[in-house]
Amino acid sequence: MKLSLLAATSLATLATLTSAALAQERLTPERVFDNPSLNGPTARSVTLSPDGELVAYLLPRQDDADVLDLWAAPVTGGEPFRLVDARALVPDAGELSEAERARRERMRISQRGVVEYSWDDQGRFILTPLEGDVFLANREDGSVRRLTETEADEIDAKVSPNGNYVSWVRNQDLVVYDLANGFEIPVTSDGDGPITWATAEFIAQEEMDRDTGYWWSPDERYIALTRVDESGVDIIPRLDIQGSGATTIEQRYPRAGRPNAVVQVWVHDMTVGDRRQVDLGENADIYVARVDWSGDGRTLYVQRQSRDQRTLDLLAVNPRTSDSRVILTETNDHWVDLTHDFTPLADGGFLWSSDRDGNLHLYRYGPDGALAHQVTQGDWPIRGVEHVDEDAGRVWFMASIDDPTQQHLYVTDLDGQSAPERITGGEGWWSADVGEAGVFVGSYSDPATPPNTALYAPDGGRLRWIEENALDADHPYAPFTARHTVPTYGTIQAEDGSDLWYQILTPPDFDPTREYPAIIEVYGGPGVQRVTRSWQSVASRLFLEAGYVVFRLDNRGSSNRSAGFQTALDRNLGTVEVDDQAAGLQWLRTQPYIDPARIGATGWSYGGFMVLMMMTDPRFDLAAGASGAPPTEWSLYDTHYTERFMGTPQDNAAGYAASDVIPRLENLEGRLMIMHGMADDNVIFENATRVINGLQERSMPFEMMLYPGQRHGVRGNPRQLQQWRTWLDFFGRELADD
């Protein structure tokens, strides 16, 4: 395959550094989990200002990669500057509330400092919640105004579209702050116990990619907000075990087949101060999936998903009366995936995505919900709408049209009459934030190029760097580039003929005449893609330095493929994805440089479940496996995720029984290590303890590493260093060449 210009340049840089003898060091766990980050200065949450004149982004501090500051760069040129210094504003970060810790866990935010921000629609202000309080940065003079200093955390703070108000949730109620007059307006006041206003419930945050519970109308007249009643949700007592002791958390956790929270949508009128409940239908056992406003603020759109997730309705709501009507219904015999592709148009119509033709594509609808035409089509799925220019009649979207291991920005005509035009170059992985006229901020990486961010013209030409992150002699990773290897990619076939993409990384100083031990890094769960032509995890390279070949394979069920590929495991978790990993292992064992007797596997979350399924399947005969935070019986996991793929335990008893790890333990082969956070509020610790108990009842030896105070991931450099030392020690013993 011909190298892209970006990749070729990066490889040439690596070669130059090597020839200059600047990169002779071995990568060590101690350096990987130290500052500055070996990935270099990587910009995060990059956005264009609404007027297109400024680019804002989050950047880890050089002295502490776990703390983020807010930076900005002028589009027309000039040096980037730090807009909000987290340490200067809040030198001593205190403890976050349980609600905020839980929200950040759901959003997979592990850093402190400025972890999120938002613009007003004019681009005059940037709102930055910081360590539980709220700050407002004035773009014109660079001043930062502190709006709150309270004992309670203000969460999910937003600046209103016209910049007249700031809003947040405090103690389960929504509060609006009048910027001109400097006073608070309580929107709700009865949030308490199981009742919460304007906050996304656990399921919405964890599984539905909805992390907010309120939405301003464009004209600032209305606020749509949720009312969540968790009184019917089962209370699962959860031990929160810290290094200093343990407390019991009475967590309301909606397990598969059990009651969910009841979620209502209300509309608050800022002009008169009243609030009306939106008519979501008679059935309260539904999911509020998405909420959007039309551009003129005259229509509120609510996406209502059925409990079995096979029906998704789009409701048009009159905000003055809260009356609603269904204008579109999407159905699927498997499940209807939720996306953020719904885009209201000026004529009252909208864009909608559906996989009804076998791949996820865009469709245009009229104001009455009648289908106008299909906008995109082909044997590939779109990955998300990035921008719509109705005047130009064009839509920008991400997709992997030619190769599912790459992601690029495309543009096509809204009339559906033209083929998509690829905007971005290279042979790697892009993300983009597209502004007016197609100018966009793009972030790119490939296996030889650490993530970089720049401003690009509509044709893809680079206008200026935002964060070049050049892999030169001054880059933190420079001392290790001589030993840098890039993956080999390819496909094998599943039993049904589907192409399964894999990647292999080999150790530095690789000798194809030798036999190496291998580690399978597995996830395997639905809706996730691991095999990509992107910058690879620096931590995973520690396995390479230890002399292992690292193998990854995206089995059926993984994302960015056809609908049939993704739904192949419907109602049967732990079957076809395990079959595909078995096919991958069989292929791996035939490679002449692999020692077939020295293969291990590691995975976290669904990957932890997969490790257990693989080690109890005689086809694998693995020497060792490390299972992290595994779901071990699906009726213990949450409703929206589990029921989407498995139905309920009542309706699919056989499927649930077949995927239970405990009856399979008699077939366990190889040495097993179990890892789990002792405060995990997602995959509850009971999932691990039942396996621990089952192994002990069977007098089967195993190893265990538990993490006090850690939730569903292990956070912070010291603990991650210990985690990787543990993995390297474990596999070093179990995969040693006897």
Side-chain angles (χ1 to χ4, degrees):
M1 182 181 293
K2 189 174 85 171
L3 281 173
S4 70
L5 179 60
L6 287 167
T9 302
S10 298
L11 288 173
T13 302
L14 287 172
T16 301
L17 289 172
T18 302
S19 64
L22 292 173
Q24 302 301 319
E25 293 188 28
R26 286 179 174 269
L27 200 62
T28 66
E30 292 73 21
R31 179 59 192 91
V32 168
F33 298 105
D34 198 359
N35 297 309
S37 169
L38 290 180
N39 294 314
T42 305
R44 310 179 190 188
S45 302
V46 186
T47 62
L48 273 167
S49 63
D51 60 9
E53 295 181 358
L54 200 69
V55 176
Y57 55 97
L58 303 179
L59 199 64
R61 297 177 67 92
Q62 286 291 304
D63 59 348
D64 189 346
D66 287 332
V67 177
L68 303 176
D69 292 331
L70 178 64
W71 285 71
V75 165
T76 55
E79 290 298 313
F81 58 93
R82 183 159 49 189
L83 191 60
V84 175
D85 183 330
R87 286 269 175 80
L89 291 178
V90 184
D92 299 313
E95 289 294 320
L96 296 170
S97 68
E98 173 62 24
E100 179 63 2
R101 287 201 303 271
R103 182 171 179 268
R104 292 190 183 195
E105 181 71 19
R106 304 284 80 76
M107 296 171 70
R108 303 300 186 259
I109 295 173
S110 59
Q111 293 88 1
R112 298 295 294 262
V114 184
V115 297
E116 55 183 324
Y117 67 93
S118 59
W119 295 91
D120 69 322
D121 283 356
Q122 287 71 43
R124 297 176 299 165
F125 304 112
I126 303 179
L127 188 72
T128 58
L130 179 59
E131 306 300 352
D133 284 314
V134 181
F135 297 80
L136 189 70
N138 187 314
R139 173 180 153 191
E140 183 177 358
D141 59 15
S143 63
V144 179
R145 176 181 172 187
R146 184 169 193 156
L147 302 183
T148 67
E149 193 168 2
T150 61
E151 290 186 8
D153 281 351
E154 285 76 29
I155 67 174
D156 195 14
K158 302 176 185 179
V159 59
S160 63
N162 296 327
N164 293 312
Y165 305 98
V166 170
S167 51
W168 54 72
V169 178
R170 180 197 295 141
N171 294 329
Q172 300 176 223
D173 281 307
L174 181 62
V175 176
V176 169
Y177 183 87
D178 188 311
L179 284 172
N181 298 303
F183 59 79
E184 294 185 359
I185 305 168
V187 175
T188 66
S189 59
D190 60 336
D192 188 37
I195 306 299
T196 302
W197 286 96
T199 302
E201 71 278 16
F202 174 90
I203 286 297
Q205 293 180 35
E206 181 62 38
E207 308 299 358
M208 297 165 59
D209 198 23
R210 176 171 68 78
D211 54 21
T212 188
Y214 72 99
W215 302 263
W216 283 93
S217 66
D219 58 4
E220 296 184 346
R221 176 174 176 177
Y222 300 107
I223 304 175
L225 68 161
T226 60
R227 180 185 185 272
V228 176
D229 181 357
E230 293 186 297
S231 58
V233 178
D234 294 338
I235 296 177
I236 307 298
R238 172 175 63 83
L239 277 178
D240 192 317
I241 302 175
Q242 305 286 328
S244 57
T247 57
T248 300
I249 304 295
E250 300 292 321
Q251 181 175 347
R252 292 189 182 272
Y253 189 98
R255 287 179 168 174
R258 299 293 299 154
N260 270 325
V262 175
V263 182
Q264 301 169 346
V265 177
W266 293 67
V267 177
H268 178 80
D269 190 332
M270 290 288 293
T271 60
V272 297
D274 71 345
R275 187 167 63 244
R276 294 176 180 269
Q277 184 179 352
V278 172
D279 181 7
L280 296 180
E282 295 182 0
N283 184 4
D285 193 15
I286 51 95
Y287 295 105
V288 175
R290 300 283 183 265
V291 178
D292 296 277
W293 286 96
S294 62
D296 59 11
R298 295 180 179 179
T299 304
L300 177 71
Y301 295 100
V302 179
Q303 294 182 40
R304 178 185 65 193
Q305 188 179 45
S306 62
R307 175 70 184 255
D308 67 8
Q309 301 181 57
R310 292 174 171 174
T311 301
L312 182 65
D313 295 317
L314 178 64
L315 279 64
V317 180
N318 182 334
R320 295 182 300 279
T321 65
S322 294
D323 294 335
S324 67
R325 58 190 176 93
V326 177
I327 59 173
L328 182 148
T329 296
E330 186 80 29
T331 61
N332 192 294
D333 291 338
H334 300 285
W335 60 79
V336 180
D337 273 323
L338 302 179
T339 76
H340 294 282
D341 297 329
F342 171 74
T343 308
L345 302 175
D347 65 359
F350 54 90
L351 293 183
W352 181 262
S353 61
S354 169
D355 62 6
R356 67 190 62 157
D357 76 347
N359 283 286
L360 190 68
H361 280 297
L362 283 176
Y363 296 80
R364 184 167 184 170
Y365 285 82
D368 58 355
L371 176 63
H373 56 263
Q374 187 168 346
V375 177
T376 64
Q377 55 188 316
D379 190 18
W380 46 267
I382 68 164
R383 295 278 284 183
V385 173
E386 299 300 327
H387 182 67
V388 175
D389 186 336
E390 293 187 69
D391 292 336
R394 313 202 85 189
V395 56
W396 285 256
F397 60 92
M398 307 302 297
S400 304
I401 292 180
D402 301 315
D403 177 351
T405 68
Q406 300 182 40
Q407 179 168 280
H408 290 277
L409 178 65
Y410 291 84
V411 64
T412 194
D413 293 335
L414 282 171
D415 62 12
Q417 298 302 305
S418 64
E421 174 190 351
R422 179 169 145 179
I423 303 298
T424 49
E427 293 172 359
W429 198 265
W430 284 87
S431 62
D433 180 53
V434 183
E436 296 302 319
V439 174
F440 67 96
V441 175
S443 295
Y444 173 84
S445 81
D446 61 43
T449 308
N452 60 56
T453 304
L455 182 71
Y456 293 88
D459 63 359
R462 188 172 64 242
L463 299 175
R464 65 154 296 165
W465 285 113
I466 302 301
E467 187 54 72
E468 183 177 5
N469 197 18
L471 192 51
D472 55 24
D474 296 324
H475 195 280
Y477 190 68
F480 310 101
T481 52
R483 301 178 64 77
H484 184 89
T485 60
V486 297
T488 298
Y489 296 85
T491 61
I492 62 172
Q493 281 198 324
E495 292 176 348
D496 67 352
S498 300
D499 285 336
L500 307 175
W501 279 88
Y502 69 79
Q503 67 180 53
I504 291 181
L505 275 161
T506 55
D509 306 320
F510 174 68
D511 180 354
T513 66
R514 285 183 51 196
E515 285 191 344
Y516 290 85
I519 292 178
I520 301 170
E521 289 189 336
V522 62
Y523 181 77
V528 173
Q529 180 181 11
R530 294 289 304 279
V531 179
T532 61
R533 297 182 195 268
S534 58
W535 182 251
Q536 305 295 294
S537 165
V538 177
S540 287
R541 293 188 179 279
L542 293 171
F543 283 141
L544 306 181
E545 284 288 1
Y548 303 104
V549 170
V550 174
F551 178 77
R552 296 178 189 159
L553 178 136
D554 280 339
N555 47 250
R556 280 173 291 173
S558 58
S559 65
N560 202 22
R561 300 293 296 276
S562 71
F565 187 92
Q566 295 185 77
T567 59
L569 41 61
D570 187 16
R571 300 306 185 265
N572 289 292
L573 296 185
T575 57
V576 297
E577 70 272 43
V578 179
D579 293 341
D580 290 351
Q581 293 294 332
L585 176 60
Q586 181 181 4
W587 176 87
L588 184 64
R589 281 197 165 113
T590 65
Q591 304 310 298
Y593 52 85
I594 296 296
D595 184 341
R598 293 194 293 152
I599 300 178
T602 181
W604 201 270
S605 194
Y606 202 103
F609 166 72
M610 288 291 289
V611 169
L612 292 173
M613 298 298 283
M614 292 157 64
M615 294 187 71
T616 54
D617 186 322
R619 292 175 295 177
F620 286 85
D621 192 21
L622 294 171
S627 171
T632 63
E633 207 279 297
W634 286 105
S635 66
L636 300 178
Y637 201 57
D638 69 52
T639 52
H640 194 272
Y641 183 93
T642 310
E643 293 174 12
R644 184 188 330 158
F645 309 119
M646 289 285 282
T648 65
Q650 297 88 340
D651 295 335
N652 184 21
Y656 276 81
S659 59
D660 187 350
V661 170
I662 299 301
R664 302 167 59 96
L665 291 180
E666 298 289 351
N667 300 321
L668 179 68
E669 297 180 1
R671 190 72 166 185
L672 171 65
M673 180 170 65
I674 296 174
M675 290 181 164
H676 213 116
M678 301 183 79
D680 196 331
D681 61 349
N682 179 8
V683 178
I684 304 297
F685 192 35
E686 179 185 348
N687 284 273
T689 57
R690 64 192 301 271
V691 174
I692 293 168
N693 182 67
L695 292 168
Q696 291 172 347
E697 285 182 337
R698 291 163 176 79
S699 303
M700 303 177 75
F702 64 99
E703 298 185 29
M704 182 167 60
M705 181 57 64
L706 303 178
Y707 289 93
Q710 299 300 291
R711 301 205 179 199
H712 194 48
V714 176
R715 312 296 188 192
N717 279 343
R719 281 189 173 85
Q720 287 184 305
L721 173 58
Q722 189 277 343
Q723 182 182 38
W724 271 91
R725 284 172 169 168
T726 301
W727 274 327
L728 292 168
D729 173 74
F730 173 72
F731 286 116
R733 287 183 281 109
E734 301 304 326
L735 302 185
D737 187 359
D738 296 330

